[in-house]
Amino acid sequence: KPELKDKTFFMSHGIDDDVLPLENAETLYEQLVKKGFSGEFYKFDGKHEIESETIKKASDYINNIVNNTKKII
C-alpha cells in the first residue's frame, strides 16, 4: 500500500523466550510486512529480555531512519 511505504518498524525477540513464543513474533512480523509495512526483525540468542546488542541494533535502526527521514510506527 502506498500510504504505508514510508512507515517502518523495528522488533526483536529472543529465540529462547519462555514468556512469549518466538512463533508469535514471527507471525506478527509476517503480518506487518504483508500489510505493506517495512521493518527489521532482530532475533537474538536469549530469553524474554533486552540485551545490549538489541539496544545497539535498535539504536542503529532509529539513526538510519532519522537520517533517511522515514516515519517510525
Side-chain angles (χ1 to χ4, degrees):
K1 295 184 176 190
E3 66 274 13
L4 301 179
K5 70 178 182 163
D6 65 341
K7 306 286 193 243
T8 186
F9 65 92
F10 176 88
M11 59 186 286
S12 64
H13 204 93
I15 61 173
D16 295 318
D17 191 328
D18 54 357
V19 176
L20 300 170
L22 176 61
E23 295 79 21
N24 291 9
E26 291 171 331
T27 298
L28 175 60
Y29 176 78
E30 291 167 6
Q31 290 174 350
L32 288 168
V33 171
K34 188 182 276 188
K35 291 288 185 184
F37 293 95
S38 64
E40 183 175 321
F41 183 21
Y42 173 63
K43 299 175 197 176
F44 60 91
D45 188 24
K47 293 188 176 196
H48 193 76
E49 60 194 297
I50 300 174
E51 37 97 77
S52 61
E53 184 62 25
T54 301
I55 295 169
K56 181 181 179 333
K57 294 276 187 187
S59 176
D60 291 346
Y61 188 79
I62 292 168
N63 284 328
N64 186 44
I65 298 302
V66 169
N67 292 333
N68 291 315
T69 65
K70 283 191 174 183
K71 296 177 184 171
I72 300 173
I73 61 167

